Amino acid sequence: MATIYEVADKAGVSLSTVSRVLNGKTTVNPALKAKVEEAMLALNYRPNSIARSLATSRSDSVGILVSELNSPFFGDLMQAVELTLRAADKHVIITVGHNNLETEQDAVEFLIGRNCDAIIMHAEAMSDEYLKTLNSSRLPISLVNRQVDGVGEGCIVLDNEKGGYLATQHLISLGHKNIGYISGPSDKCDANQRLAGHKRALKEAGIAFTPNLVFEGSYTEEDGKAGLLELLSGDSPFSALVCANDWMASGAMSCARDLGMNLPQDLSIVGFDDAVFAHHVFPRLTTVSNPISDMAAMSARHILNVVYGYKDEVQTLFQPSLIIRESTMAYEA
Amino acid sequence: MATIYEVADKAGVSLSTVSRVLNGKTTVNPALKAKVEEAMLALNYRPNSIARSLATSRSDSVGILVSELNSPFFGDLMQAVELTLRAADKHVIITVGHNNLETEQDAVEFLIGRNCDAIIMHAEAMSDEYLKTLNSSRLPISLVNRQVDGVGEGCIVLDNEKGGYLATQHLISLGHKNIGYISGPSDKCDANQRLAGHKRALKEAGIAFTPNLVFEGSYTEEDGKAGLLELLSGDSPFSALVCANDWMASGAMSCARDLGMNLPQDLSIVGFDDAVFAHHVFPRLTTVSNPISDMAAMSARHILNVVYGYKDEVQTLFQPSLIIRESTMAYEA
DNA sequence: CTGTTAGCGCTTTCAT
DNA sequence: ATGAAAGCGCTAACAG
């Protein structure tokens, strides 16, 4: 790989001149500039971004931290961030936290070591403290799906409470009165908010909340199944079920079918997230949309503002909306 | 961030000593070593991998090039590579090619500029030439799902022909004689191989190949629909359909249902890849497994061998297998 | 075994 | 507008 020296040599100028045409910040004599460009072409010169990064302690790339690489949710998140940043000529460095504290911290240190200009993350295990400290160091962060005081506009969140409300309210409007709820893990803030929304809808409709009718899962397909089984074995009957995400809804659906139930006649089910497969399941799943792509893009935009001097509006709170498909129907006595 | 100088200072040694304990290649006086480690701890020292990379032109990280970030297929690929490499303490830098020549080349140059020690890629647009050149430069590459002479063991491929054969053969064994085929784009090698397998199964069973019964799509859900419609409008009836991937199968299935067909009674369908959603569709999809995770992991292992001195066996050809679910059934006259 | 000294390829004052 | 020179944080000969 040709270096800037060789280019300077070939063009008969100093390396600072080459550097200048490279960065285009200051003006360079057109004639020299042409020579330099010619030399770069001839030598097939590619600037070494490592060297540049060492010299500037910038890198024109932002880190992303996701929990998993192979989930539709994180797929959408990564895709949106990458697209937004690519449009601004920034690169993206993806790391994985595997939902584990140590791995998440490793990932962040990797990114710091790589001179990332900022980090966009979906951190599940890290403490608020750590995140706050991180953000107040010279490395801006943006948190998707998590609210941490002290990170301010960097937090891009969904109104989960509203989503939970929407799901349950939909069922109530369909005439259901006994509604089961399969929740996410209670140490996840989004899970609690969704559940809170569920309770609010119940309360608003004058329906008493029945603790027996909620099962706490961990967002997996298996837990959807386990949850349904558990709820069914209890002594509180129900004609509808809301699941705090689509995976659990899918698990509950196939379990219900295995049990010989007819969907949605015997049980109305609503999910949450509108994952890609929501319209693949049968019956197609009524769910609450989670505009993760928009949120991720916004997160990227915030970073663009903060570190690269852009001046776009940023919206920090996103609204979910109900997507009615075929997995829910009116209550039949 | 503390530098190696400050550590050396604090520990009262030279920076080379610090460098030595850092890399652990040569022996260092235990007493000094302890001092250094203490100093590192006190200063919360983190080596700057950029600087190290500039000095060594190595980076302990390997690049990955995928076509998309948000597809189950590439999700599995990335996940497997990341896991394998993480276990060997290597990092991964992911880039996206968007199925576009220029973007793919950009991505590769980004990776080169970042001093990646190797690249694992699923390159769709790049020419064999380019790939070969790349590989013969000092940067080893590994190609998943693509065979390029000159890259040798770096090519990790699936026996696509076998897969196509399996799919069709399954249908034939079920008594079907008129079998539609929705193919992938004919400029994709895997698509052609799968089709070739289909033809072989037909021939072996003494069934004449009917060009009218094949539709060329581009692996999208929409094309599954378009394909079915096109085939249905033709004058060659068929009782079964093989789709060259699960997306198209899914599209064909929902289209068929929209048309009022009963599945699988009116039409048996088999897919290819065994994507996550294959068991979400209804009826659950009979398909051909594509062991992409294993292949990706193998690809990583090959890189580990070539650039980091590991000595594992590598297998370059993988076999697909038939996964029978509920979307296919015996032919009824 | 330890310290000194050059770089790695580029940016960035500082003069000119 | 251009060039010379210092330095980003680290590794790797080379002496000692």
Side-chain angles (χ1 to χ4, degrees), chain B residues 14 16-17 20 27-29 32 54-55:
Chain B
S14 81
S16 356
T17 303
R20 281 180 188 114
T27 29
V28 176
N29 182 314
L32 290 190
L54 183 59

Side-chain angles (χ1 to χ4, degrees), chain B residues 202-219:
Chain B
L202 250 28
K203 185 168 184 183
E204 195 178 289
I207 301 177
F209 171 67
T210 313
N212 274 355
L213 244 27
V214 2
F215 174 86
E216 178 180 334
S218 55
Y219 283 146

Side-chain angles (χ1 to χ4, degrees), chain A residues 158-164 166 272 288-291 318-322:
Chain A
L158 177 70
D159 190 341
N160 282 293
E161 199 272 349
K162 170 83 167 298
L166 253 26
F272 203 116
V288 175
S289 78
N290 185 344
F318 282 72
Q319 294 301 329
S321 64
L322 186 69

Side-chain angles (χ1 to χ4, degrees), chain A:
Chain A
M1 266 296 162
T3 77
I4 201 173
Y5 278 93
E6 307 174 40
V7 175
D9 231 49
K10 180 142 196 155
V13 299
S14 81
L15 84 172
S16 353
T17 303
V18 178
S19 177
R20 283 182 186 109
V21 346
L22 215 49
N23 296 298
K25 301 304 284 182
T26 58
T27 31
V28 175
N29 182 314
L32 289 190
K33 183 172 174 179
K35 272 190 177 174
V36 169
E37 280 166 345
E38 189 182 326
M40 296 204 289
L41 218 63
L43 266 45
N44 187 237
Y45 170 74
R46 305 275 152 218
N48 177 325
S49 54
I50 294 280
R52 172 187 304 212
S53 188
L54 183 60
T56 57
S57 63
R58 299 266 254 106
S59 64
D60 279 337
S61 60
V62 350
I64 304 186
L65 172 65
V66 294
S67 302
E68 298 154 50
L69 257 11
N70 64 346
S71 97
F73 181 83
F74 291 110
D76 286 347
L77 160 11
M78 294 185 286
Q79 177 93 338
V81 170
E82 201 268 345
L83 246 33
T84 308
L85 257 19
R86 167 189 297 277
D89 249 305
K90 304 305 172 209
H91 275 275
V92 131
I93 298 186
I94 296 170
T95 56
V96 199
H98 293 303
N99 230 310
N100 168 88
L101 181 58
E102 202 183 334
T103 318
E104 283 187 0
Q105 287 180 344
D106 265 17
V108 168
E109 296 204 333
F110 173 74
L111 293 175
I112 295 177
R114 285 269 156 193
N115 271 358
C116 279
D117 300 335
I119 304 184
I120 290 177
M121 46 186 162
H122 190 287
E124 316 228 32
M126 291 179 162
S127 71
D128 282 17
E129 287 318 309
Y130 185 93
L131 292 171
K132 215 181 308 180
T133 319
L134 209 59
N135 190 56
S136 49
S137 69
R138 60 153 199 68
L139 183 76
I141 66 177
S142 176
L143 258 24
V144 178
N145 252 344
R146 178 157 170 183
Q147 186 72 53
V148 171
D149 296 331
V151 179
E153 271 213 325
C155 297
I156 309 291
V157 296
L158 177 70
D159 190 341
N160 282 293
E161 199 272 349
K162 170 83 167 298
Y165 174 84
L166 253 26
T168 299
Q169 204 274 327
H170 166 63
L171 259 11
I172 291 175
S173 77
L174 249 25
H176 295 277
K177 295 203 157 27
N178 299 107
I179 304 176
Y181 191 94
I182 300 185
S183 172
S186 60
D187 60 335
K188 292 269 156 76
C189 164
D190 57 357
N192 293 327
Q193 294 169 336
R194 290 172 192 188
L195 181 54
H198 166 69
K199 290 181 183 170
R200 177 161 67 89
L202 250 29
K203 185 168 183 180
E204 195 177 290
I207 301 177
F209 170 67
T210 312
N212 274 354
L213 243 29
V214 3
F215 174 87
E216 179 181 332
S218 55
Y219 284 147
T220 65
E221 211 158 5
E222 297 75 49
D223 282 348
K225 177 177 178 162
L228 179 59
L229 255 20
E230 170 91 10
L231 260 25
L232 247 20
S233 75
D235 46 8
S236 308
F238 54 98
S239 61
L241 178 66
V242 1
C243 298
N245 80 350
D246 288 349
W247 287 107
M248 297 197 295
S250 161
M253 282 174 76
S254 42
C255 174
R257 214 169 10 241
D258 288 348
L259 256 30
M261 297 172 83
N262 269 324
L263 300 180
Q265 292 78 5
D266 296 341
L267 185 66
S268 281
I269 297 183
V270 11
F272 203 116
D273 279 351
D274 194 27
V276 254
F277 61 83
H279 75 276
H280 282 132
V281 299
F282 183 79
R284 297 191 303 143
L285 188 64
T286 292
T287 189
V288 175
S289 78
N290 185 344
I292 185 61
S293 289
D294 297 340
M295 293 171 60
M298 190 57 75
S299 179
R301 209 154 286 133
H302 168 251
I303 292 303
L304 250 19
N305 284 347
V306 174
V307 340
Y308 302 113
Y310 282 60
K311 298 260 179 276
D312 289 337
E313 273 305 297
V314 345
Q315 168 190 354
T316 57
L317 181 65
F318 282 72
Q319 294 301 329
S321 64
L322 186 69
I323 299 180
I324 301 178
R325 291 200 267 249
E326 289 104 44
S327 68
T328 50
M329 62 176 282
Y331 174 65
E332 299 175 341

